[in-house]
Amino acid sequence: MKAIRIHDYGDADQLRYEDAPVPEVAPDEVLIKIHAAGVNPADWKSRQGLMRQVRPLKFPAILGGDAAGTVERVGAVVSRFKSGDAVVARVNGAYAEFAAIKTDFVGRAPRSIPLSQVAGIPIAAGTAWTVLFETADLTKAKTILIQGGAGGVGTFAIQLARLAGLRVIATTSARNRELVESLGADQVIDYTKEDVAQKARDIDLVLDTVGGEVLKSSFASVRRGGQLFSIVAPPDEALAKDLGVDARFVRSNITGIKLEEIGGLIDAGKVKIVIEREFPLADAKAAHKLVETGRARGKIILRVA
Ligand SMILES: NC(=O)c1ccc[n+]([C@@H]2O[C@H](COP(=O)([O-])OP(=O)(O)OC[C@H]3O[C@@H](n4cnc5c(N)ncnc54)[C@H](OP(=O)(O)O)[C@@H]3O)[C@@H](O)[C@H]2O)c1
């Protein structure tokens, strides 16, 4: 099969479009014929070796965690899927024509959008879901501040938070104001011109998707007894204790069942996916250069088939 592989950690020039063996399928796995792969910041971070402590790569490695496609073949004990089913999945190695993955991480694809767009769902929407519905205590929250409203995670988080009945404040640069409003943000703060900590104070729940100084300054926005969750880095524990804030780093927990829930919301017209750009698989370098800018709006997609 054709795949984008890397043979060592490094910059985007490491990404090589080449032949690779089709993965073996274990009894509890399905082999997915990939139609499209989503591109995530984790992909360039892995490529550069920034995640080698948590998730070391074995070379040659195929990157990519988000896949949409059809089931090509099922393992011996799999009954939930059959060949030809359109699926969405959290995989290891989506930048390829095929990927094998346990059925736990596979869901039926939503039908109302093309598979190329479905590929943008798993990590971004799954992470927003993990934070909002599996980490946060929404009984204690009326208002959420989403730092990074225009990104992959942010665009889903705004919509899911609105569905959960929260008042949504989102930060973005001016060019993305309308986009973020169209997704349902009640208030938009242009972080390039306005002081976010001044504009958003006493917030019940803060989701940080930016990290660094933005994570630090998020403490000024959250109320005592409030919640601050970062998907980028662990918040300062001592400061959290001092301020009486439940502050945590959250890692996504994405299952096929969750992906089907999210797909259901998409089919019901309650959630939409924002696509920045689609590239052919062979242009993964360009896609990585774009995601690495940290300025993409919504999702970047690699079209495989
Ligand atoms: N813990 C986990 O399991 C997990 C899961 C998924 C993602 N992540 C991490 O979460 C982060 C976000 O992921 P993503 O996929 O959403 O990234 P992304 O799509 O690349 O985010 C890009 C967006 O960030 C916005 N942005 C950049 N700087 C900003 C700032 N200072 N304030 C507000 N917005 C800003 C940009 O909007 P403007 O152009 O308007 O600035 C752009 O739209 C990444 O670091 C990723 O690795 C972690």
Side-chain angles (χ1 to χ4, degrees):
M1 66 174 185
K2 287 290 181 203
I4 292 284
R5 298 201 298 185
I6 60 171
H7 294 255
D8 199 355
Y9 294 116
D11 64 20
D13 285 334
Q14 288 293 335
L15 298 162
R16 291 196 212 153
Y17 184 61
E18 59 190 18
D19 291 317
V22 173
E24 302 277 323
V25 189
D28 58 347
E29 291 183 340
V30 293
L31 183 69
I32 301 174
K33 183 176 191 330
I34 297 180
H35 185 89
V39 177
N40 288 282
D43 302 351
W44 72 260
K45 293 179 188 176
S46 293
R47 191 200 71 225
Q48 288 204 338
L50 302 177
M51 297 171 76
R52 72 177 99 185
Q53 309 291 356
V54 246
R55 223 181 298 144
L57 296 178
K58 257 172 56 190
F59 298 112
I62 303 178
L63 300 173
D66 285 347
T70 52
V71 173
E72 178 77 4
R73 206 174 333 133
V74 300
V77 302
V78 173
S79 56
R80 199 155 69 88
F81 296 101
K82 60 177 190 322
S83 158
D85 286 347
V87 289
V88 54
R90 169 76 177 91
V91 304
N92 288 312
Y95 295 7
E97 288 180 306
F98 294 96
I101 185 73
K102 281 190 197 305
T103 53
D104 301 15
F105 303 103
V106 185
R108 274 165 216 294
R111 292 163 175 272
S112 57
I113 58 172
L115 276 179
S116 59
Q117 296 188 11
V118 171
I121 295 173
I123 292 179
T127 302
W129 185 284
T130 303
V131 173
L132 287 167
F133 304 135
E134 291 166 359
T135 312
D137 181 350
L138 295 185
T139 64
K140 293 185 181 157
K142 285 199 169 70
T143 300
I144 184 171
L145 168 66
I146 298 172
Q147 300 272 25
V153 178
T155 48
F156 282 113
I158 290 171
Q159 299 176 80
L160 293 176
R162 273 295 298 261
L163 282 175
L166 296 172
R167 177 169 186 276
V168 176
I169 306 172
T171 63
T172 178
S173 63
R175 71 191 178 114
N176 293 324
R177 176 180 287 273
E178 275 177 29
L179 166 73
V180 163
E181 280 171 351
S182 76
L183 297 172
D186 299 283
Q187 185 185 340
V188 179
I189 305 174
D190 175 355
Y191 70 88
T192 65
K193 296 202 185 77
E194 297 169 284
D195 182 348
V196 179
Q198 283 283 330
K199 287 262 172 181
R201 307 190 72 84
D202 279 331
I203 303 293
D204 303 314
L205 172 59
V206 179
L207 164 57
D208 163 51
T209 76
V210 182
E213 290 303 315
V214 171
L215 168 54
K216 281 189 199 154
S217 61
S218 291
F219 276 104
S221 290
V222 65
R223 69 167 167 84
R224 182 165 280 276
Q227 308 167 70
L228 164 57
F229 301 124
S230 176
I231 57 166
V232 183
D236 183 329
E237 275 180 35
L239 187 55
K241 208 169 163 208
D242 266 8
L243 297 175
V245 171
D246 174 10
R248 280 180 265 163
F249 169 70
V250 180
R251 200 178 297 284
S252 63
N253 169 24
I254 299 160
T255 61
I257 289 168
K258 226 168 283 178
L259 294 176
E260 287 187 5
E261 291 279 352
I262 295 162
L265 293 172
I266 289 178
D267 281 344
K270 293 181 174 170
V271 168
K272 64 180 179 189
I273 179 157
V274 177
I275 304 290
E276 158 78 46
R277 218 170 132 184
E278 293 187 12
F279 294 87
L281 180 63
D283 287 349
K285 260 184 217 179
H288 267 225
K289 285 179 181 163
L290 178 56
V291 71
E292 215 169 331
T293 63
R295 304 305 300 276
R297 300 184 221 220
K299 297 303 304 172
I300 299 167
I301 303 292
L302 290 174
R303 271 192 322 274
V304 180

